[in-house]
């Protein structure tokens, strides 16, 4: 990061509070320290594509990586997630472009997989900030995705959904169901995603889909977003979320999006 510029992590405010009983002559090692962390708001767009996705609408003569970071800054985004279809090929370039900026890049990808009644389940998979192209491609290979399918939005991951989620989470990532309200076919498996797989966060296509969740599960707390799914620079930040998080970056996102234990 450049000198004098605060990173996302630098902006978290941590206070040390000395308890009253510490005022005496007790040894230092017996003193109790209480950490209180104040939440901060972050603006983010967690579904953005790049030229690594087949069909991306690039602009001739424009270097996409630095242009994407500059645009994110202009639009006031603190975080962006690069989520190409079954690909991490562009992640290193965007991370390099963002290294001297205030924008945090969340590495990831989007995959299409199947449940018993639907073979059009879309998952945005996000990973810690230190994941580069090599690490992302390692996860894709662990999911059985051939290199010939990298960037292909139509490719369907063949392994069972339980194994997909287990692989993603064992690698330190999280999965966010995306646009599952876009068609009746996708909508039909939402109960399975909520009740069987414990998802409590969704990236929605339509704002009025929130009513479906409130009606079907009135006592369940959901985190419902609508990110841009940008397939061109002009679409970046067209849909955003502003979240209050205790931890910055991927750690804070994971605390909000991670799947819940069944029954919670």
């Amino acid at each position: 990061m450049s000198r004098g510029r605060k990173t996302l992590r630098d902006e978290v405010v941590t206070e040390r509070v000395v308890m009253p009983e510490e005022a005496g002559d007790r040894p230092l090692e017996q003193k109790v320290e209480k950490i209180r962390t104040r939440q901060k708001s972050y603006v983010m767009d967690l579904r953005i594509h790049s030229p690594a996705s087949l069909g991306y609408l690039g602009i001739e003569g424009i270097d996409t990586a630095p242009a994407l970071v500059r645009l994110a800054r202009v639009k006031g985004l603190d975080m962006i997630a690069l989520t190409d279809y079954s690909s991490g090929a562009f992640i290193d370039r965007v991370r390099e472009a963002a290294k001297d900026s205030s924008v945090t890049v969340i590495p990831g990808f989007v995959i299409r997989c199947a449940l018993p009644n639907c073979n059009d389940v879309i998952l945005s998979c996000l990973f810690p900030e230190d994941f580069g192209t090599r690490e992302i491609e390692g996860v894709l290979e662990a999911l059985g995705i051939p290199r010939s399918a990298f960037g292909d939005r139509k490719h369907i991951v063949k392994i069972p959904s339980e194994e997909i989620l287990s692989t993603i989470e064992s690698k330190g990532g999280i999965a966010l169901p995306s646009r599952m309200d876009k068609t009746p076919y996708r909508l039909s498996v939402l109960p399975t995603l909520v009740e069987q797989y414990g998802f409590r966060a969704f990236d929605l296509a339509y704002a009025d889909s929130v009513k479906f969740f409130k009606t079907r599960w009135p006592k369940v707390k959901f985190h419902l977003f609508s990110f841009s799914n940008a397939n061109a620079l002009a679409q970046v930040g067209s849909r955003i979320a502003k979240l209050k998080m205790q931890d910055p970056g991927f750690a804070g996102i994971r605390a909000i999006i991670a799947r819940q234990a069944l029954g919670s």
Side-chain angles (χ1 to χ4, degrees):
M1 305 299 288
S2 62
R3 271 189 159 183
R5 184 185 297 278
K6 288 187 177 181
T7 65
L8 204 57
R9 187 169 296 277
D10 293 334
E11 293 177 351
V12 174
V13 180
T14 304
E15 302 177 35
R16 291 186 181 275
V17 180
V18 180
M19 304 302 288
E21 57 269 24
E22 295 178 7
D25 296 328
R26 299 171 62 189
L28 183 62
E29 61 269 21
Q30 293 182 12
K31 294 183 178 182
V32 178
E33 287 186 334
K34 182 179 180 180
I35 304 299
R36 182 170 67 240
T37 304
R38 195 166 63 206
Q39 289 189 332
K40 186 177 182 355
S41 292
Y42 301 95
V43 180
M44 62 193 73
D45 184 353
L46 299 183
R47 189 171 175 189
I48 295 174
H49 296 280
S50 80
S53 289
L54 298 180
Y56 179 81
L57 303 175
I59 304 175
E60 187 175 354
I62 297 294
D63 190 348
T64 300
L68 171 58
V69 174
R70 287 195 300 269
L71 186 59
R73 290 183 59 190
V74 168
K75 293 197 172 185
L77 299 177
D78 298 303
M79 285 182 272
I80 56 173
L82 196 64
T83 53
D84 285 306
Y85 295 109
S86 300
S87 178
F90 219 72
I91 287 173
D92 285 350
R93 295 180 65 178
V94 176
R95 290 178 66 209
E96 177 66 19
K99 69 178 184 180
D100 291 326
S101 80
S102 59
V103 177
T104 297
V105 177
I106 306 297
F109 54 80
V110 170
I111 55 173
R112 187 183 306 270
C113 55
L115 289 174
N117 298 319
C118 179
N119 65 355
D120 195 22
V121 177
I122 309 299
L123 298 177
S124 292
C125 307
L126 308 177
F127 294 85
E129 294 91 335
D130 59 355
F131 270 54
T133 295
R134 183 179 64 178
E135 289 77 16
I136 290 296
E137 290 184 348
V139 179
L140 293 170
E141 291 172 355
L143 293 172
I145 301 174
R147 286 187 170 269
S148 60
F150 284 7
D152 186 359
R153 67 187 302 166
K154 296 181 179 179
H155 179 78
I156 299 176
V157 181
K158 304 298 184 182
I159 64 178
S161 51
E162 294 90 344
E163 186 176 343
I164 291 172
L165 293 173
S166 176
T167 299
I168 292 167
E169 292 167 357
S170 70
K171 301 292 185 179
I174 51 174
L176 174 68
S178 183
R179 300 296 195 271
M180 292 307 298
D181 59 326
K182 191 171 183 178
T183 66
Y185 183 46
R186 291 184 186 178
L187 196 63
S188 67
V189 297
L190 275 178
T192 300
L193 293 172
V194 172
E195 297 166 8
Q196 182 175 336
Y197 291 96
F199 284 105
R200 297 293 183 268
F202 291 84
D203 172 25
L204 302 178
Y206 306 116
D208 58 2
S209 296
V210 172
K211 297 176 184 178
F212 174 82
F213 287 86
K214 290 183 176 180
T215 301
R216 181 70 183 256
W217 300 282
K219 296 183 179 180
V220 177
K221 181 180 179 181
F222 290 100
H223 294 283
L224 304 175
F225 312 107
S226 184
F227 298 116
S228 72
N229 191 26
N231 202 40
L233 285 173
Q235 298 169 349
V236 171
S238 57
R239 294 184 179 188
I240 61 173
K242 186 175 183 179
L243 295 180
K244 284 188 175 182
M245 305 191 306
Q246 181 168 312
D247 298 310
F250 175 77
I253 294 170
R254 178 170 52 190
I256 292 171
I257 291 178
R259 292 191 297 153
Q260 302 295 310
L262 295 181
S264 62

